[in-house]
Each structure stands twice: as structure tokens, then as C-alpha cells.
Amino acid sequence: MSSSLWIEIKSALPASKAEFALDFSEKIDSSLVSLLLQARELLYEGADAAAECLQTSQIILDYSWEKLNTGTWRDVDKEWRRVYSHGCLFKAACLCQAGASQDSVAEAIKTCDLGLLMGAAIMDNVLGRLINVLQKHVPGRKRALHDEDLDESRKKPRTESVVTPGIKPEAAVSRIHCPSLEHFRTNYLIPQKPVIVQGIIEHWPALKERQWSIGYIRQAAGCRTVPVELGSRYTDEEWSQTLLTVNDFIDKYILCQDGERCMGYLAQHQLFDQIPELKRDICIPDYCCLGEGDEEDITINAWFGPGGTVSPLHQDPQNNFLAQVVGSKYIRLYSPDETEKLYPHQSQLLHNTSQVEVENPDLQRFPDFAKAQFQECVLHPGEVLFIPVKYWHYVRSLDISFSVSFWWS
Amino acid sequence: MSWFGFGFNGFGQIIPRARASVGVKVLFPERLECCDCDVGQTRVTRTEKEERLPGEHCCTEIRATWSRRAVVHRQTGDVCISGFVTSPSNQNACTHVPATKGCQDALIGERYLTASFTDKIECWDIGGLGSQPVWRMELTKTDTAALPLAPGGYAFPKTPFYRALAPQICARKLALGTEHAVLLSADGTVYTWGSGSHGQLGHGSVESQPEPLAVEGLRGLPMGDVAAGGWHSVCISAGGDLYVWGWNEAGQLGLPSRCLRAQAEHGSAGEAGCAVVPTRQEAAVTQEGEGSEVFISIQAFPALLDLPEESEMKKMSCGTRHTAAVTCAGDLYTWGWGDYGQLGHGTPRSSDQPLHVEYFTKEGLCVLDVVCGSWNTFVLASERAASFE
């Protein structure tokens, strides 16, 4: 079993050292480059060198990790992210070499995921290819889609009652069924008016032949490592980020099997770049072609979490189609014209976020908030909410929810 | 009196890897060797001993960067480098750098070597040590300040190689972290500037500062020494108290670290547990509470760190993610990231509490000084019976 794994892994790698290019700009310290060269040597030496190769890979990872944490994320040199990916590649390959156990398969997948999350694409997405190979060797992968997970979700011990707010008719976001491109453009895109569009995602495999459920997500992505936000909301002091496998995230924060009190949210993550199998289940809404940007520039994010996750009132610099696949969300919208009544944070980091807790506002500190005009809705599965550029929005999930957002210009 | 080293040895910078069974991690302190000279050994004549200034115990200094260790021979005034040297055929313990002959002090980085002489400061690209320095500065009078301080400013291991400092600040010592600087002035005030993303400036936020700004939290407490790590800062007061601030993801502040506890539970590598992934909020967390224990991932204001036995601190140094401190009584404490054995307790484990390094006590040694490389620690120690006091 383990030898067949190594044979498949080898076929995903360059056939020989000579074909394995290691070219880096002179920004990369020559001391580190010598380790990359050494790792390549060791990798092609055979299973006896695997332990040493693993150690060398770890040094490469530890050093480049420090570089990745230097400066702001945006400023991190892409070369260092490439180095990090190479470290992940060497490490994952070594783990598969000598007597790969269950644990090493899981660790190798996690290592590749870290490379996908924090590194930069290398060797024609070799890390993605390695994951494809490795996933076939995960024990228990082939379990059928059971409804047991859905039953489990019904008996989860969350005692907080999820309050479904009543929507005032005069504040309700209007709904429209399958408008033509021209109609949408003229009546909503140009005037920058929010609207809920129905009937445009019912053909998604995620809602049809490969209906998304806890069981389906586990099967497609259970062993994959993803970033998770912990804490009630990102403006809180207790808020933090961590990395978990999807299985652990589901167990701990969706099904609450550990009795965890803390909120966990797989939020604003480009999951579909990381896990192409899930990308096949969704489609980019046609209306995005009305924008100026290319399709490659559209950012697709996944939002997967239990009932009660909150995104504080904030604005984004692009148009947004928020597609609801599983579960429902309460959403409130404020026009950019109302910005002054929403008391945005002063700091540079949070200036796109309001200080006000929408469903529990401190009107003594923020008196004008009561005067701000808004629209609201409960977004149901199969519906897509159009949020115009810089439109303030507040989102609370009402039950286990999976949404997909499309940011486009 | 000898220098010892422990921690990352991937380039043989502690013990040459040509030796059998010498690995990448040196978990227990090992005596250093340096070419033909006896590192740390000195033939002491009576007069030399009497003339020696307090604090100046040894004729060699150690300087370290990630892949190298440099020995600065004070008496002869020259520098030897061990570790990653550009000529891989060199199997010796270390390589002399002729250009540094006659120097008083030196600093080594991944790319550049800086040396100060009585009449000049020069900086070379380590890849081309035989050729011209990339930067040089004439000294019109003897400057007593230690590198990287230079007249009117400081030398920097990246262009521009010289940066000016406002003349009002009377700089006594300067410590450079990965992306910040900590300066101690003559009157004991601490100034910080640079990136503040992990609270390493100590001004109470994660904002960066382009120019030196006094750390208000230490006002009224004159400091005696400062050190800077990758993303944290440490200083010792005139009275021997230790103050820390900055990032604590590996316990490098000696405060409870959630990341560390999680890592201990799951046994996963540190880079996985606390990785930085770009998400919608780049602001870092200042405090996380869980039950009754408060974890600190970023400490944005100086915090007093209590060490066991109410020790009076004498000297400290920081690696990228660990800290080492020497007490006046001659004990060594280390804490923070330990994956490469840089804490010296014999295991590749990290610690978010200051731990006493037992080796020196067991060997009857009194610790006198400590200098950290990125992932390793160098310690000067002497026999207790032969101590000069």
C-alpha cells in the first residue's frame, strides 16, 4: 500500500534531479538556497535519505515561515512564498517515502495545504497534484454519504436560541426572479441598488445532483486544512485565527461534539482555489460579465459555519453576489450615504468596519445610528443577494450555513 | 572561561558537521572551538586583570546570525567565521577574515559583515570578502559606542547601510530586530521604531513608527540594557528587573502562550499552529481568555517578567523567537521557541516560562554573558571556583 503511494507521488514529481528546477532571485539568501539544493539531492537519493531530507525541509519551512511573517502579508515577497511551497513539497514527498503511515499521509496533506494557503504556486501546481494522490490513500475516504451527520446536527447541544428576526415590510430587500442582464444592469447595477435574485443558482450541482451537506463536505474536503476564525466577531479581543482540518472544524464548531463554547467560522476563504472538487459544484453568476474586470479577477470566498456566526457591519470595495447554498442568514444593509451615522473605526486596519453592534447598538455612544436608514432580509438557500460597492452589510447566520460570495468589479 | 553554544547547527556554526554524529540540533551546551586560538581562554597576567573594566571578562566576543557564528578576537583585533561560508570545501572549524585585521568590534548578518576600527567602520558583502567594502565611514574621533551605533546614526545590514539618528538622542546601545529597532539612551530611556505589527514597539498598539519614539510605559524607570528579537523586545532596568513586549506566539515573552499549549496538545509543528494566513482582518489579537487562564499572543505594552528566585538580571539576548537571560548570580534562563534546542535544556521543546539551564550549574560553571543567534544561543561561562570576584 505504502509503496504504491510512493510510486504515484514520484510520478507527480520531476523524473530526475536534472529536471527539477530550483531558480530563485538573489533576494533569497544563498545559505537557504544551499539547503534547497541539498533537499533536492536527498529527495532523489532514496528512502535512506528521507529522514535527513525531512529535517532539511523543516529548516527551509521554519526559515521561510519567519520571512512570511515579516512585514504585512501584502508586502511579503513572492519569492519567499515560493520557497515556502518548495519546503512543503520536499517535506510532503519525504513523508511518503519510507513506510508512509496513516499519520504521515494526513501530515503530508496538511503540509501541502499549508503550501497552498501560504505559499505561491510552483511547478504547475505540484502541491495540488500531490494532494490528489494523497487523498486516495486516506483511510475511510470512501465512506458513503450518510445522513448521520445531519442527524447529529439536530442533536447538537447548542442551547442558545437562534432568533429569527421579523423583517419589516418597508425595509425588506426586494426580490426578483431571474432578470435579464439588461434589466439587472439598468435597475440594480447602475443605480447600485441591493436586490435578492432568485432562480439563478438552482442549477448549481451544489443545490442539485451533488447537494451540499455536512456528509458531502466531509467526503470532498474532510482531511483538508483550512483557516478558521475563532471568537464571536473579528472586532472582539478574543478573536483569533487558527488552522484546522475540515473534519475537526465540523466536529468542534458545527456539531460541537467537544462541547466547545467558542464560535468558529470558516470565513472569507478562497476554498475553491484550494479544493477544485468543490469548485465544480458552483458557477460564477452570469451578471458578473457586466463588470469591467476579467473572470480571473473575480474573488470567490466560502463562508461555512454554525448558527450564530456574525460578520460585523462593514463595507467592501467591490460588488458582491452572496449566494446562499445551505441554511439561512439575517442580513442588514446600509447605503454608503449613511456612513456618518455608522461610526466607522478610526484606525487604518478597521476603517471599513462600523463600531456599532447592529442588533444590540449602544445608542448612548452612537446616537445617530438609530436614524440610519436600512434594508434587511433573511436570505434563504437558492437565493443570491446583490450587495453594491461599499454598501454596508451585517450578516448573522440563523442555522448551519454555507454561503459563497463573488467579489467583482 | 569558555564559550558554549547550543541550538541550530545546520551549517556547523556550533560544531562542524564534518564530525561524526553531529546533527542539525545541538540540544545541550557544547564548548566552542575556534581555529587555532582558544576561544575564551586568555593568559591573564595580574596587571591585565586589574585593568580590566567591569563587564569585560574575556578576550573574545561572539556574534551570530542564522547560518553563521563569528568570533571577534579583541586582543589581536580580527574576526573568524564558522558556519555557512561561501567556499564549501573549507572543512575547518572557522575561516579568518583578513579584512577585519585590527578591528575593535564586528557584527555579522546573513549578507553583510560590519567591522569597526579606531579610524573607520566598514561593511562587506560576505559573498565577496576579498573585495571592496560596500560601505565605509571615517571616524574622526574614537567612538566608544558599540555597533551598530556609529557617529550620528547607525549601520544597517541592508541598503541604505547608514541611517542617521536625531542628535538629541544620546544613544548608548542599539538593538536591531527583524523589522524594528530598540535604542537605549544615555539617561536610560528606551526608544523604539520600525514595524509595530506584533506589538514589538511597546507603544500599546500594532501601528508602526517611522522615527524613534520613547516607550512611555517605561518612563521613570531607567533601563540598563536592551535587546531585540524577531518580533519582540526585552530590556533590563538599572535595578535588574526584566521587561518584555511584542509577539509571544512561541512563548518568547515568558508569558502564557495559547499557540504553545495547542502545539503541545496536538504535537503539530509550530509553523502550522500559528501560521499567518491572510484573512479579512490583519489586526492581531492582544489577549485571549479561556477559563481562568489568560493567554497573551501579543503584548503591546512593556510587562515586568518575574523570574524564579527573584533574581537580579545582568544581561540578556534574543534570537528570532527565543530569549536568554543571565542573572547576577551567574544563572542562565531561557524561554521561547526551542525546536532546535536553542533553550539548552536537552530537548527540542519550546517553553513559555523562563527555565533554568541546569547544565551550567551541574558543571559548576558561572554564566557571565549570553549572545543569541537567530535559532541558537552562545554562553560565556567560567569555573565558579576560579571566578574573579
Side-chain angles (χ1 to χ4, degrees):
Chain A
M1 178 64 163
S2 63
S3 56
S4 76
L5 168 63
W6 175 238
I7 291 168
E8 287 176 60
I9 294 284
K10 257 187 19 176
S11 66
L13 299 171
S16 69
K17 270 186 305 191
E19 288 156 83
F20 195 129
L22 282 176
D23 299 310
F24 295 94
S25 85
E26 66 105 41
K27 284 187 198 124
I28 308 303
D29 305 296
S30 42
S31 46
L32 196 281
V33 174
S34 79
L35 292 181
L36 286 160
L37 297 172
Q38 193 185 98
R40 180 179 63 183
E41 278 296 316
L42 293 166
L43 182 63
Y44 286 86
E45 233 176 71
D48 289 338
E52 201 186 333
C53 186
L54 196 59
Q55 183 154 79
T56 306
S57 320
Q58 192 59 51
I59 299 173
I60 294 167
L61 285 171
D62 288 333
Y63 192 69
S64 52
W65 183 87
E66 290 192 347
K67 296 293 182 190
L68 261 50
N69 279 277
T70 302
T72 63
W73 179 253
R74 268 181 297 276
D75 297 333
V76 172
D77 202 290
K78 192 169 171 199
E79 278 297 270
W80 281 112
R81 292 173 60 198
R82 282 185 63 231
V83 169
Y84 186 81
S85 290
H86 279 88
C88 294
L89 171 61
F90 288 124
K91 179 172 177 177
C94 294
L95 285 168
C96 299
Q97 240 181 336
S101 65
Q102 279 185 25
D103 284 341
S104 16
V105 169
E107 205 188 335
I109 293 176
K110 179 172 185 178
T111 302
C112 291
D113 270 329
L114 291 178
L116 290 175
L117 292 174
M118 295 192 290
I122 56 166
M123 294 164 68
D124 198 28
N125 193 25
V126 63
L127 294 178
R129 288 203 301 283
L130 286 189
I131 289 182
N132 285 342
V133 169
L134 287 161
Q135 276 193 298
K136 294 189 216 125
H137 294 261
V138 173
R141 164 125 171 92
K142 296 288 179 227
R143 53 186 243 218
L145 281 167
H146 291 306
D147 275 356
E148 62 184 50
D149 288 314
L150 291 174
D151 287 338
E152 276 177 316
S153 75
R154 277 186 220 116
K155 55 180 193 255
K156 71 177 152 70
R158 290 207 92 93
T159 51
E160 59 194 320
S161 55
V162 180
V163 178
T164 304
I167 304 295
K168 298 185 199 45
E170 64 271 17
V173 179
S174 46
R175 283 175 159 82
I176 183 168
H177 186 90
C178 220
S180 69
L181 287 176
E182 197 44 52
H183 183 94
F184 176 79
R185 187 169 165 275
T186 309
N187 296 288
Y188 300 102
L189 178 59
I190 305 278
Q192 290 278 283
K193 185 168 181 282
V195 66
I196 294 173
V197 186
Q198 295 174 316
I200 58 168
I201 60 170
E202 24 184 56
H203 64 285
W204 278 14
L207 288 159
K208 256 176 92 173
E209 65 264 33
R210 289 190 290 278
Q211 166 85 55
W212 283 1
S213 65
I214 303 275
Y216 178 81
I217 300 294
R218 272 201 205 272
Q219 193 213 42
C223 57
R224 305 298 303 273
T225 294
V226 292
V228 171
E229 299 181 355
L230 303 179
S232 313
R233 60 203 76 208
Y234 68 77
T235 42
D236 278 359
E237 273 195 359
E238 305 91 54
W239 187 85
S240 68
Q241 303 154 47
T242 189
L243 293 164
L244 291 173
T245 61
V246 171
N247 277 332
D248 285 345
F249 169 65
I250 290 173
D251 288 335
K252 281 183 86 136
Y253 297 102
I254 307 268
L255 303 179
C256 297
Q257 287 179 357
D258 279 7
E260 284 278 324
R261 286 174 51 247
C262 181
M263 187 73 66
Y265 194 9
L266 203 181
Q268 195 174 314
H269 177 51
Q270 293 179 49
L271 188 70
F272 308 100
D273 287 342
Q274 190 191 358
I275 307 178
E277 294 87 343
L278 292 176
K279 192 165 189 181
R280 298 176 315 160
D281 295 345
I282 61 169
C283 313
I284 296 176
D286 292 333
Y287 306 96
C288 293
C289 76
L290 297 169
E292 286 141 16
D294 292 327
E295 199 174 286
E296 299 97 58
D297 299 326
I298 297 176
T299 305
I300 308 175
N301 277 310
W303 308 78
F304 177 35
T309 61
V310 167
S311 293
L313 188 62
H314 69 285
Q315 56 179 14
D316 297 312
Q318 290 184 288
N319 287 309
N320 184 359
F321 279 126
L322 181 63
Q324 197 60 21
V325 182
V326 175
S328 304
K329 280 181 157 155
Y330 169 69
I331 302 171
R332 197 184 291 189
L333 302 167
Y334 291 84
S335 156
D337 300 330
E338 302 293 311
T339 298
E340 286 192 8
K341 302 192 194 79
L342 305 181
Y343 303 88
H345 285 264
Q346 301 286 37
S347 77
Q348 209 219 356
L349 282 165
L350 289 172
H351 71 275
N352 67 336
T353 304
S354 161
Q355 298 178 67
V356 187
E357 270 187 49
V358 167
E359 291 186 280
N360 185 24
D362 183 344
L363 293 172
Q364 293 219 320
R365 285 179 67 199
F366 312 115
D368 288 343
F369 182 74
K371 293 188 265 173
Q373 298 219 316
F374 63 86
Q375 292 182 280
E376 58 181 358
C377 65
V378 172
L379 195 68
H380 296 294
E383 299 188 318
V384 178
L385 173 65
F386 167 60
I387 304 176
V389 173
K390 295 225 175 205
Y391 228 87
W392 294 88
H393 49 290
Y394 163 90
V395 184
R396 175 166 63 86
S397 64
L398 301 175
D399 39 23
I400 294 178
S401 161
F402 204 133
S403 322
V404 181
S405 65
F406 300 85
W407 289 347
W408 56 288
S409 298
Chain B
M1 190 180 306
S2 298
W3 280 95
F4 296 77
F6 46 93
F8 180 56
N9 189 49
F11 296 94
Q13 61 264 61
I14 299 176
I15 305 174
R17 304 244 1 242
R19 305 275 172 78
S21 81
V22 170
V24 152
K25 306 183 187 189
V26 175
L27 300 181
F28 281 106
E30 294 278 343
R31 218 165 232 137
L32 293 186
E33 288 167 20
C34 176
C35 46
D36 297 326
C37 71
D38 298 315
V39 178
Q41 305 300 325
T42 168
R43 294 253 168 77
V44 181
T45 63
R46 212 129 288 241
T47 41
E48 267 185 48
K49 191 178 87 181
E50 280 152 11
E51 282 169 9
R52 190 167 293 127
L53 300 165
E56 204 187 324
H57 291 265
C58 177
C59 72
T60 53
E61 291 279 348
I62 299 280
R63 302 276 179 254
T65 180
W66 180 64
S67 67
R68 299 185 185 91
R69 171 248 301 179
V71 177
V72 183
H73 301 278
R74 280 258 172 93
Q75 286 183 330
T76 50
D78 96 281
V79 175
C80 308
I81 304 179
S82 311
F84 182 72
V85 282
T86 45
S87 52
S89 58
N90 192 336
Q91 292 296 325
N92 296 341
C94 64
T95 309
H96 273 272
V97 183
T100 58
K101 193 80 195 166
C103 75
Q104 298 189 305
D105 194 8
L107 277 188
I108 189 153
E110 268 322 287
R111 294 223 130 118
Y112 300 102
L113 173 67
T114 309
S116 63
F117 303 80
T118 48
D119 57 342
K120 61 182 189 253
I121 303 177
E122 286 183 327
C123 176
W124 297 270
D125 186 326
I126 295 184
L129 279 172
S131 56
Q132 292 300 310
V134 296
W135 172 77
R136 120 197 267 273
M137 181 182 194
E138 301 284 338
L139 296 179
T140 46
K141 56 179 192 246
T142 320
D143 202 87
T144 49
L147 286 175
L149 288 171
Y154 58 102
F156 198 75
K158 218 164 46 180
T159 56
F161 294 105
Y162 175 79
R163 287 149 199 233
L165 275 174
Q168 304 92 278
I169 299 173
C170 229
R172 199 164 112 200
K173 181 170 176 181
L174 177 64
L176 296 176
T178 294
E179 32 176 2
H180 75 295
V182 185
L183 182 146
L184 179 67
S185 69
D187 67 358
T189 308
V190 176
Y191 295 82
T192 60
W193 67 97
S195 165
S197 58
H198 294 82
Q200 62 266 57
L201 300 185
H203 302 304
S205 74
V206 290
E207 307 276 330
S208 301
Q209 288 291 335
E211 295 297 325
L213 186 63
V215 178
E216 284 303 318
L218 299 173
R219 189 169 281 290
L221 292 166
M223 294 294 139
D225 200 2
V226 292
W231 299 269
H232 68 297
S233 310
V234 183
C235 64
I236 292 179
S237 71
D241 288 325
L242 199 71
Y243 291 84
V244 294
W245 62 94
W247 207 11
N248 192 45
E249 50 76 43
Q252 58 265 58
L253 300 186
L255 304 171
S257 169
R258 168 179 271 173
C259 288
L260 216 58
R261 306 294 166 92
Q263 183 189 331
E265 268 172 55
H266 300 120
S268 59
E271 103 259 359
C274 297
V276 168
V277 182
T279 67
R280 55 185 166 167
Q281 198 43 264
E282 283 195 34
V285 184
T286 50
Q287 267 193 55
E288 311 148 45
E290 188 174 279
S292 56
E293 184 155 29
V294 176
F295 294 106
I296 307 235
S297 78
I298 281 184
Q299 176 66 31
F301 285 109
L304 174 65
L305 182 63
D306 284 321
L307 261 73
E309 314 292 324
E310 291 191 31
S311 330
E312 198 182 312
M313 306 313 298
K314 176 169 133 175
K315 178 93 199 299
M316 77 299 182
S317 185
C318 302
T320 52
R321 298 153 67 196
H322 76 289
T323 311
V326 185
T327 66
C328 291
D331 291 306
L332 179 71
Y333 288 85
T334 57
W335 60 95
W337 194 41
D339 279 16
Y340 289 88
Q342 60 264 57
L343 300 188
H345 306 297
T347 70
R349 273 205 302 270
S350 306
S351 170
D352 60 1
Q353 290 168 33
L355 294 177
H356 180 231
V357 181
E358 300 293 337
Y359 173 88
F360 296 99
T361 308
K362 283 199 188 122
E363 298 289 313
L365 296 167
C366 177
V367 176
L368 302 167
D369 200 0
V370 67
V371 174
C372 292
S374 300
W375 298 353
N376 45 32
T377 309
F378 297 92
V379 176
L380 180 66
S382 70
E383 307 278 324
R384 278 196 187 263
S387 81
F388 295 120
E389 306 312 312

